[in-house]
Amino acid sequence: MYKVLIVDDERMIREGMKKVVSWQDLEVTEVVTAASGEEAMELARETVPDIMITDISMAEMSGLQLIEHMQELAPKMRILVLTGYDSFEYARECLRLRVQDFLLKPIDENVLTECVRKQITWLKEQEVNGILQRTQGVASQLELEHAMNHLVHGTKKEEALRIIQEDFNIRSDTCLMAVVLQPEMDFMVNEQDRILKRQQIKNICLGFIDAKGLGITFDDEEDGRTLLVLFEKQCGSDTMDVITNLQDILKVEFGNTPKAAIGSKVDGLAQLSISYQEAVYLLQNDKTDVHQILQPQNDISRSRMFQEVYEEMKMQMCTNIGDPAYVMRIFDSFCITTDSYHLSSASVGRFCFELLAGLSYAYLAAGGMVKGRGLENLMQAVQGCSGPESLELGRQYLLKMLDTGEKDVHEIVSKAKRYISQNLSEDLSVGNIAESLFVSPNYFSRLFKRVTGQGCNEYIVCRRIEKACVLLETTNFNTGKIAGMVGYNDTNYFSLAFKKHCGVSPTSYRSKVREKKE
């Protein structure tokens, strides 16, 4: 995840530092070495390191000169200085150049490791703070969105790259992919409600994608669709899971699932428009109107991919059969996965029965009791059922077998409501609420909807509007102040949401309430 550049004109020293430190444990994925300042400058332009470890005393270009050049080339780079001279002048010069640490040779490998670890901890904190500042700050988010639009549409790329890298600390060589979300069109909905819904979808994506550091959410300025840019390193091999879990949350909240088109992976922000154009092409040329996730064809067959995912889920559930809540969360993931791989109803029924048969055996082996002929009845019941019907029958069978009562379920929802009530002015999302309760966002989203009858996002909006009404009735705070107090950084978005729920604008609501009192 991080890159380190080691600069020393003595080969034994630079290679020694490269070998003695356990870089992988520090989450350093690349270590490059340079024998001179000139070579170091060239490598820095190519690899953009996060940390540089450099000697001071070198021929041609000294370490201090190199530091000055590097601070112009990469001002956010962390710099550690090594020297064999215990000189106050050197130390003072390093302080003037604002280097992060000053270490004497020969340096102990444990000391060096801790110095690097400290810098990486600092870098991580900056990344987290940067994400929070961006997602909670309207102006900052709009600046990033504008730059991202230039990249996906191939305009003003150099300026956009500079802003994204310098102002938002996002590496230009990051491997990523574009995702285009296209909600179902409802021609019975007026334009104002359509704008409000699009903003709500975007806010959910910000909480689920951006707040976790998985990528960037922004609006396409040309057609208004919601765009996501996912970082490969953060998502890893779970890109499909990220999208399917997000879609499931959106389906719970809004009753339908936006179609998602995923472009191919590209190396670097400069290539983002290629991935974006591919995703748009997939949407425009999708004639089936069946698949909810569109992606480029690959060499691995869909059935083989599903089989591998299915076996992993089955193993996890059987291994953790004594933890009913965990088993049910994995079963929820299994249900979503069958949908994302577009299995036939017969295949869903077959896999569901095989899974529950395996779980029944694991439950018996663990000392549990399976009553009656439930498994035989299930096998007969799923025959001829649709995929969703088979999965619901399977869910009921599993709940009965594991004897998971509703007490724990209602306790989770009660805790969630308390958390929402106590944090209405903060950045609330399905993701961070689920995290506070130690459950997955997908599981929590479904659970909240099942118990309360409304999506979690809808519940948050209702509570915020209720609090806003109280503040409008009892205080003289202006609309902007009240918007911030109930968790809206964007006053226009607050006004739209308020009017949607109350039928009038916040200002009109306050006037009507006061007229009645008079």
Side-chain angles (χ1 to χ4, degrees), residues 184 193-201 254 256:
E184 290 184 1
D193 287 347
R194 192 173 290 117
I195 292 171
L196 177 60
K197 180 179 178 181
R198 192 162 63 232
Q199 183 66 49
Q200 290 171 335
I201 289 174
F254 302 109
N256 52 49

Side-chain angles (χ1 to χ4, degrees), residues 178-182 243 247 259-263 275 278-283 292-295:
V179 182
V180 180
L181 294 182
Q182 182 166 289
I243 298 300
Q247 284 187 319
K259 185 169 289 189
I262 307 174
S275 183
E278 187 171 53
V280 171
Y281 177 84
L282 288 171
L283 274 177
Q292 290 301 323
I293 299 181
L294 308 173
Q295 59 181 335

Side-chain angles (χ1 to χ4, degrees), residues 167-196:
D167 294 355
F168 297 95
N169 202 29
I170 298 169
R171 299 178 65 101
S172 61
D173 60 347
T174 300
C175 185
L176 39 78
M177 67 213 74
V179 182
V180 180
L181 294 182
Q182 182 166 289
E184 290 184 1
M185 291 298 294
D186 186 349
F187 296 101
M188 301 301 292
V189 175
N190 62 48
E191 182 61 21
Q192 194 173 61
D193 287 347
R194 192 173 290 117
I195 292 171
L196 177 60

Side-chain angles (χ1 to χ4, degrees), residues 31 36 55 104 107 121 189 195 215 266 275 347 353-354 360 366 387 410 431 437 491 514:
V31 179
S36 67
D55 188 17
L104 290 174
I107 185 169
T121 299
V189 175
I195 292 171
V266 292
S275 183
S347 294
F353 178 78
E354 286 180 6
S360 296
H410 286 284
L437 299 170
T491 306
R514 293 187 174 179

Side-chain angles (χ1 to χ4, degrees), residues 375-391:
L375 200 58
E376 292 179 26
N377 294 336
L378 176 66
M379 181 174 63
Q380 295 174 1
V382 298
Q383 293 178 9
C385 285
S386 66
E389 289 170 344
S390 295
L391 294 172

Side-chain angles (χ1 to χ4, degrees), residues 2 22-23 86 96 114 139 144 151 178 184 196 198 202 237 276 340 343 352 379 414 420 426 474 508:
Y2 298 96
S22 180
W23 299 106
D86 186 3
R96 183 184 70 80
E114 285 309 306
L144 177 61
L151 285 187
E184 290 184 1
L196 177 60
R198 192 162 63 232
K202 178 181 170 184
S237 59
Y276 167 76
S340 65
L343 300 183
C352 184
M379 181 174 63
S414 295
I420 291 167
E426 304 300 323
T474 59
S508 297

Side-chain angles (χ1 to χ4, degrees), residues 225-241:
R225 286 182 295 209
T226 301
L227 304 183
L228 309 174
V229 172
L230 300 181
F231 303 142
E232 185 192 25
K233 282 186 179 178
Q234 280 70 20
C235 297
S237 59
D238 300 328
T239 302
M240 282 291 291
D241 286 344

